[in-house]
């Protein structure tokens, strides 16, 4: 498979869940590029000059559409089967935990677009393994 310079990018309005009764709107930019075929970069725009970026596994996100996925710092689950049209993403760090409510349609559409660009299971064909090994091994 040839390398592609195309990328999939989507701005999604999400809710930062503060409590059962209160949430804050937040904009997230999801970006997928074949140059880094296993990950999705999620940039969260909050009250600062630079967005806060998380790097998430694309397979983890896709698995979260089907049921509960992830552990530790990143957990994803769907509530769509319970009448809710949302995906929930819990992000944890030493600073605390954030719970995001993401519209399932926006999330699903974004992942479908990434898979149209690079089908799941073909990611390794896009990696220049010689360049990766050269980067890891000491030059003599």
């Amino acid at each position: 498979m040839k390398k592609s310079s195309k990328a999939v990018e989507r701005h999604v309005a999400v809710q930062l869940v503060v409590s059962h009764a209160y949430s804050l709107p937040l904009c997230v930019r999801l970006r997928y590029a074949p140059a880094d075929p296993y990950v999705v970069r999620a940039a969260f725009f909050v009250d600062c000059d630079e967005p806060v970026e998380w790097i998430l596994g694309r397979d983890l996100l896709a698995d979260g559409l089907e049921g509960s996925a992830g552990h530790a710092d990143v957990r994803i689950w769907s509530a769509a089967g319970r009448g809710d049209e949302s995906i929930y993403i819990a992000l944890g760090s030493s600073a605390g935990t954030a719970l995001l409510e993401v519209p399932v349609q926006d999330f699903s559409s974004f992942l479908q677009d990434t898979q149209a660009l690079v089908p799941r299971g073909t990611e390794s064909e896009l990696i220049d393994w010689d360049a990766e090994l050269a980067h890891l091994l000491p030059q003599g």
Side-chain angles (χ1 to χ4, degrees):
M1 181 178 282
K2 289 184 177 179
K3 286 196 176 196
S4 173
S5 60
K6 292 182 182 180
V8 176
E9 189 170 292
R10 179 100 23 98
H11 290 263
V12 179
V14 304
Q15 295 293 318
L16 174 62
V17 179
V18 178
S19 70
H20 263 325
Y22 185 69
S23 62
L24 296 169
L26 190 64
C27 181
V28 177
R29 181 186 66 224
L30 300 172
R31 187 169 200 288
Y32 176 81
D36 201 357
Y38 289 103
V39 303
V40 170
R41 295 179 182 278
F44 297 90
F45 294 88
V46 293
D47 293 334
C48 60
D49 292 335
E50 294 295 319
V52 175
E53 186 174 82
W54 278 71
I55 298 173
L56 307 168
R58 181 173 73 151
D59 282 345
L60 174 70
L61 297 176
D63 291 346
L65 280 174
E66 303 299 320
S68 183
H71 62 281
D73 292 346
V74 180
R75 291 176 289 124
I76 302 168
W77 63 96
S78 171
R82 297 188 297 261
D84 192 350
E85 294 300 319
S86 299
I87 294 288
Y88 292 90
I89 302 174
L91 302 173
S93 74
S94 60
T97 301
L99 178 60
L100 304 168
E101 182 178 350
V102 182
V104 71
Q105 185 56 44
D106 293 341
F107 193 75
S108 177
S109 174
F110 170 78
L111 287 174
Q112 286 173 1
D113 289 349
T114 72
Q115 291 177 30
L117 187 59
V118 178
R120 279 179 85 179
T122 66
E123 296 92 346
S124 65
E125 297 173 23
L126 296 174
I127 298 190
D128 182 346
W129 293 107
D130 292 332
E132 293 296 325
L133 285 174
H135 177 74
L136 293 172
L137 298 174
Q139 302 299 315

